[in-house]
Amino acid sequence: MPLHPSPLRILGNGARLDVKEAEAALVEHYPRLVRLAYLTLPPSLGRHRRVLAAHASVQRALYGGAPAAPGHGEGAVPAPRTAGSVGGGGPQSSAYAGVRLRVVRTALAHDARPFWWPARLPPPAALRPSMPVVRGLRLFPRAGGIEEFTLDRAVAEVTGPARAALGLLFLESLSDDGTRALLGEAGVADPADAVRTAGEIAGSDHDRVRTLLRSPEFDPCTVQTRPSDLLRRRNRRRAATAAVALLAVAGGLALNAAAGTGRSGPPAAAPRTMPAVGALDPVALARTPAGQWADTSRVDFSAWAPRGSRTDDEALLTRALGTWGRPPAGTAVTRAPGTPDVPPAQSPRLLFAGDLDDEAVVLFHDGGVRVVRYAEPLSRVGAPELDFARVDDADVTTAAAVVVSRSGGAARFLLAPWIAESATRDLLTPDSPARPLAVDPDGVTAAVSGPAAGGGCRSWPVVQLRSSEKIVEKHAFLVTDLGDLSPVHLTHTPKPGSGAPARQPREATGADALVGWARTACSLQSLRGSGVRAVNHWQFAEQPLPGTRTSAGWVCTRADTWRGQGRVLVQFVPPATSATAPAELVADRRNTALCSRFGQHVVASTRWRSPAGAWYVLAAGSRAATGIQVTGSVRGASKGQSLAVPAPRDAGFRASATLRGGGTMQSVR
């Protein structure tokens, strides 16, 4: 932002945006504009700073660069004034359009980064627009339900222009063309892609998404307040006082030394991030009473009681906490993507302390978003290890187990206290029954082997768990180890025509789910070590194959990470002589809402050779597809969810689908 913002400038075509009209439009529609700014701002700011930045973006809209010219987008054409429009500030006035453009432009500036700044890192704070400062309070909108939360997670996965497009389409009711025009005026490089991504998030139920975006979850004008960390503030004041006194003493000593020697000492080294006072005290560790899991509505890591033979070993706990707070030289520190490895901000919760596989192991939960594993050799010869993994918003399935030990390609799990039964099975042998998995009195399982070494995929072991009936009746589910502390929850969405409507994914323990996973399990190998929370297998289409009496399946394998980002593997599953023949990967998309609750439409295409040797272009869409089209060097169209067109092997083409209710969607690549 400029240090001395310029006043409102000429709009174009001889029209000048009056400051009073713009101020009237801003005041009249302030809540609406703040909501649009809040939706556009990056979720990485956190809800408190996002609220402040939304208000700042709107309040600065009377200053800055020139707004959109009338006629360059919807809402920019002045509407006739009426007695009810204050200063021409209605939502269709040029004043409102100019203010709205500035709001979008300022909100998008929070995502801007220099060309040399790494794309994987958030923009530097020094280059973001400044925002108001609130001391002693934290502000955040009122929490909504699971649908609002899910939409917020989907929005967090996309870019700033896509978030702005979603707000313009469903909060401002602009058309696709009007949204593209406004984003172009705001400096977005590819407005069409932003509008397309927003459409993928919204799906076909536009009224539902519009209602969710207008809920309190996305309203930064109706906020709740909480105090900031009072103990930390108190400690900071004490630390500041002590630092001032220390600097005064050090300054006096330096002056005396300089007077005696004619030179000053070397500069002090920058201190490392310090843990909160008392957070590394083993006596202060949080310990959940045994049995509390059966009498609480919050079934997550907060319900785990400490287990293991060394939960009272103060010396071990002191070493574990001390290593977490300040790892000594040589400590092997690993963390899942997006997981901070900073010291605890409060006393952690003790989950486990005991001896396993020639190691002393301690597991902590930091009370917020992380599980931390400390391990040291029992011989005390060798460096300790620290592992960090994200587990925010864990639930009965994703907080059901933690990898507590690894050895020789096998993992042992510490199971949640609500797990009543455990077994193992191989996804590549779907007809084989599950085999019981031994568990010791502390909840630690026997070793479970990982996928076969050597780069092949001859087996894929998973753990099948069943929750206690005190939590939920007849609830069994699958988890698998993908290299992080937290195993990955595997789910399944039935294929079309099975009688099950499109709903949330369900557990992958049924026969159809196991048969489906047998063809795609080996694709999980590409997700190892990426901080995955859950993976869903959705067969979104079934297509008859030309020249045969068989059909092929189209599968979308969606991996959701703890960071909120999603990755999609679209796979083509032709008939095969083996029930475990791997599917063909046709698309790999990262950071997308495809195949999620808010990206329910998908279209895919590939080349296929028939048993007779003829080549075809095949394309298929999900439930909402009413027609498929192929363009390029080969052309064709059909009604329904699939299309097969004869084509040369190297034919260039692009597939798309017509959707129920209007609109089109391009094939995923």
Side-chain angles (χ1 to χ4, degrees), residues 117-273:
W117 192 261
R120 60 184 175 84
L121 297 179
L127 298 183
R128 284 176 171 163
S130 60
M131 63 184 71
V133 176
V134 176
R135 299 189 182 277
L137 287 177
R138 307 292 293 177
L139 311 177
F140 48 92
R142 296 183 179 276
I146 185 62
E147 290 189 338
E148 290 87 347
F149 173 77
T150 306
L151 175 58
D152 190 47
R153 294 287 289 267
V155 168
E157 297 178 7
V158 301
T159 63
R163 295 191 297 268
L166 191 70
L168 294 170
L169 289 168
F170 298 103
L171 292 177
E172 296 295 294
S173 299
L174 269 63
S175 68
D176 289 1
D177 290 340
T179 300
R180 283 190 287 266
L182 192 150
L183 291 176
E185 292 285 340
V188 173
D190 191 353
D193 181 69
V195 171
R196 185 165 52 250
T197 303
E200 292 175 358
I201 294 177
S204 59
D205 196 348
H206 291 180
D207 290 338
R208 176 173 166 276
V209 172
R210 187 174 290 109
T211 299
L212 293 176
L213 289 176
R214 291 173 178 169
S215 69
E217 178 90 16
F218 299 95
D219 183 8
C221 288
T222 306
V223 298
Q224 300 183 65
T225 62
R226 292 288 187 274
S228 57
D229 192 328
L230 300 177
L231 180 60
R232 187 181 299 179
R233 286 164 52 196
R234 181 167 175 260
N235 292 333
R236 283 175 177 172
R237 286 196 296 269
R238 287 184 173 181
T241 302
V244 170
L246 182 61
L247 286 173
V249 173
L253 292 175
L255 287 175
N256 291 336
T261 64
R263 59 185 180 184
S264 59
R272 184 182 182 272
T273 302

Side-chain angles (χ1 to χ4, degrees), residues 652-663:
F653 66 92
R654 186 68 185 266
S656 62
T658 303
L659 301 179
R660 186 184 305 118

Side-chain angles (χ1 to χ4, degrees), residues 268-311:
R272 184 182 182 272
T273 302
M274 296 299 292
V277 174
L280 302 184
D281 183 358
V283 177
L285 283 170
R287 296 171 182 254
T288 302
Q292 181 170 310
W293 62 270
D295 192 26
T296 179
S297 60
R298 183 179 174 183
V299 186
D300 56 16
F301 287 105
S302 66
W304 281 43
R307 287 169 290 172
S309 60
R310 302 182 67 176
T311 54

Side-chain angles (χ1 to χ4, degrees), residues 430-518:
D431 295 333
S432 300
R435 299 176 298 279
L437 177 62
V439 181
D440 71 16
D442 289 324
V444 178
T445 70
V448 179
S449 299
C457 186
R458 297 185 295 275
S459 67
W460 197 278
V462 295
V463 178
Q464 181 170 304
L465 304 174
R466 182 175 63 81
S467 303
S468 167
E469 293 187 356
K470 295 180 180 180
I471 299 295
V472 58
E473 294 183 353
K474 299 179 180 179
H475 178 230
F477 55 96
L478 300 182
V479 296
T480 189
D481 177 23
L482 289 184
D484 296 316
L485 284 181
S486 178
V488 176
H489 181 206
L490 301 181
T491 57
H492 163 74
T493 300
K495 63 184 179 181
S498 64
R503 289 197 295 265
Q504 291 286 336
R506 60 227 49 203
E507 303 303 346
T509 52
D512 289 343
L514 293 173
V515 169
W517 266 112

Side-chain angles (χ1 to χ4, degrees), residues 228-405:
S228 57
D229 192 328
L230 300 177
L231 180 60
R232 187 181 299 179
R233 286 164 52 196
R234 181 167 175 260
N235 292 333
R236 283 175 177 172
R237 286 196 296 269
R238 287 184 173 181
T241 302
V244 170
L246 182 61
L247 286 173
V249 173
L253 292 175
L255 287 175
N256 291 336
T261 64
R263 59 185 180 184
S264 59
R272 184 182 182 272
T273 302
M274 296 299 292
V277 174
L280 302 184
D281 183 358
V283 177
L285 283 170
R287 296 171 182 254
T288 302
Q292 181 170 310
W293 62 270
D295 192 26
T296 179
S297 60
R298 183 179 174 183
V299 186
D300 56 16
F301 287 105
S302 66
W304 281 43
R307 287 169 290 172
S309 60
R310 302 182 67 176
T311 54
D312 295 323
D313 188 334
E314 187 170 331
L316 173 62
L317 299 178
T318 299
R319 291 194 299 274
L321 290 168
T323 301
W324 183 0
R326 187 180 291 275
T331 302
V333 179
T334 59
R335 59 188 183 93
T339 308
D341 56 3
V342 297
Q346 59 186 356
S347 295
R349 185 178 309 278
L350 179 62
L351 305 182
F352 178 86
D355 296 339
L356 292 170
D357 301 328
D358 300 323
E359 288 183 321
V361 178
V362 183
L363 282 178
F364 300 108
H365 179 238
D366 71 353
V369 303
R370 297 178 296 172
V371 163
V372 181
R373 175 184 179 271
Y374 168 83
E376 65 179 26
L378 290 178
S379 64
R380 303 295 298 276
V381 176
E385 299 175 358
L386 271 180
D387 295 317
F388 296 85
R390 281 185 66 166
V391 292
D392 38 328
D393 301 313
D395 55 23
V396 65
T397 56
T398 51
V402 173
V403 174
V404 71
S405 175

Side-chain angles (χ1 to χ4, degrees), residues 526-538:
S526 65
L527 304 174
R528 292 188 64 85
S530 55
V532 175
R533 173 191 180 115
V535 182
N536 182 52
H537 174 282
W538 173 34

Side-chain angles (χ1 to χ4, degrees), residues 108-124 127-128:
L108 289 173
H110 285 263
D111 263 332
R113 49 172 55 86
F115 71 91
W116 45 264
W117 192 261
R120 60 184 175 84
L121 297 179
L127 298 183
R128 284 176 171 163

